[in-house]
């Protein structure tokens, strides 16, 4: 009887430890830094000049003795990004399906003419890297939308980008976009 109880306890511990090991492996951090995606540029108004660029590189802020990486969106050639100001900060990826975008600014929407960091990854003090890039957005799933204005001659075109962002690799793909010379546009797909 004592041997039977011993074996039951022993096998229960083995099974529990095996399941815990599997969970740890799923959540495991890597000692290798992530691959940094290549810069991607897009010409949205088909004038032969790139209007927006997604770039990745080392963060110039050292934390815990290490350097992390960031992903930024750069408006090019006079383009501007739509930022939404919330109580905890400003975000570029807050536009959503069925939102109405306008050229004029509001109390919570600002047109921003410079680069904006929207994605980052950093290792722990122990040198372990997370499996996913973190997005600076209150939206937590694909697709993401980015409002923008693109300069064409002396006027601005209003538009949006529909993005698929792979948080495992950091790769960004524009899967749809629309631009117009109107002062108003709806994110409709």
């Amino acid at each position: 009887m004592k041997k039977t109880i011993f074996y039951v306890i022993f096998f229960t511990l083995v099974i529990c430890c095996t399941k815990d090991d599997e969970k740890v492996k799923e959540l495991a951090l890597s000692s290798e830094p992530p691959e940094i995606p290549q810069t991607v540029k897009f010409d949205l108004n088909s004038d032969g000049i790139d209007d927006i660029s997604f770039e990745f590189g080392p963060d110039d802020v050292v934390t815990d003795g290490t350097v992390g990486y960031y992903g930024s969106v750069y408006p090019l050639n006079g383009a501007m990004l739509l930022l939404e100001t919330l109580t905890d900060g400003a975000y570029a990826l807050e536009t959503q399906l069925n939102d109405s975008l306008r050229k004029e600014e509001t109390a919570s929407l600002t047109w921003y003419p410079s680069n904006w960091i929207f994605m980052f990854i950093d290792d722990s003090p122990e040198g372990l890297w997370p499996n996913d890039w973190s997005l600076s957005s209150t939206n937590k799933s694909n697709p993401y939308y980015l409002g923008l204005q693109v300069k064409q001659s002396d006027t601005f075109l209003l538009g949006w980008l529909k993005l698929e962002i792979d948080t495992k690799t950091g790769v960004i793909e524009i899967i749809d976009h629309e631009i117009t010379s109107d002062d108003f546009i709806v994110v409709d797909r």
Side-chain angles (χ1 to χ4, degrees):
M1 174 85 167
K2 288 182 182 180
K3 281 187 177 181
T4 305
I5 293 173
F6 172 76
Y7 286 125
V8 169
I9 292 172
F10 176 75
F11 285 118
T12 302
L13 288 173
V14 169
I15 291 169
C16 289
C17 290
T18 303
K19 287 183 181 179
D20 288 344
D21 287 345
E22 289 171 8
K23 287 181 185 176
V24 169
K25 286 179 186 175
E26 287 176 15
L27 300 174
L29 303 173
S30 173
S31 60
E32 295 296 318
E35 284 191 36
I36 306 303
Q38 296 294 314
T39 296
V40 180
K41 295 181 179 184
F42 296 96
D43 174 12
L44 299 167
N45 58 351
S46 302
D47 65 356
I49 300 170
D50 291 323
D51 301 301
I52 197 157
S53 175
F54 294 94
E55 300 180 20
F56 296 83
D59 191 346
D60 59 0
V61 176
V62 177
T63 58
D64 301 324
T66 64
V67 174
Y69 297 96
Y70 68 88
S72 284
V73 56
Y74 285 79
L76 304 174
N77 301 306
M80 294 185 287
L81 306 172
L82 183 61
L83 298 183
E84 185 169 347
T85 305
L86 303 173
T87 55
D88 63 342
Y91 301 93
L93 299 176
E94 297 306 297
T95 301
Q96 297 182 32
L97 187 62
N98 299 318
D99 278 358
S100 299
L101 306 180
R102 300 179 186 284
K103 285 186 179 177
E104 69 267 4
E105 293 183 341
T106 67
S108 63
L109 297 173
T110 302
W111 290 106
Y112 193 70
S114 187
N115 68 304
W116 193 260
I117 294 175
F118 68 95
M119 181 182 252
F120 57 92
I121 193 167
D122 198 359
D123 63 342
S124 69
E126 297 80 26
L128 299 175
W129 292 87
N131 292 325
D132 291 315
W133 290 73
S134 296
L135 290 176
S136 179
S137 176
T138 61
N139 298 323
K140 297 301 177 197
S141 64
N142 281 311
Y144 293 91
Y145 292 90
L146 177 66
L148 60 104
Q149 288 192 52
V150 174
K151 190 168 186 182
Q152 185 167 307
S153 300
D154 292 334
T155 63
F156 280 94
L157 303 176
L158 178 64
W160 52 263
L161 303 176
K162 183 178 183 179
L163 308 170
E164 283 287 333
I165 301 175
D166 186 336
T167 57
K168 297 277 184 212
T169 64
V171 172
I172 297 169
E173 180 183 358
I174 293 180
I175 57 173
D176 201 357
H177 76 282
E178 186 175 349
I179 56 174
T180 181
S181 59
D182 296 338
D183 290 341
F184 173 85
I185 190 171
V186 174
V187 180
D188 58 0
R189 56 185 186 274

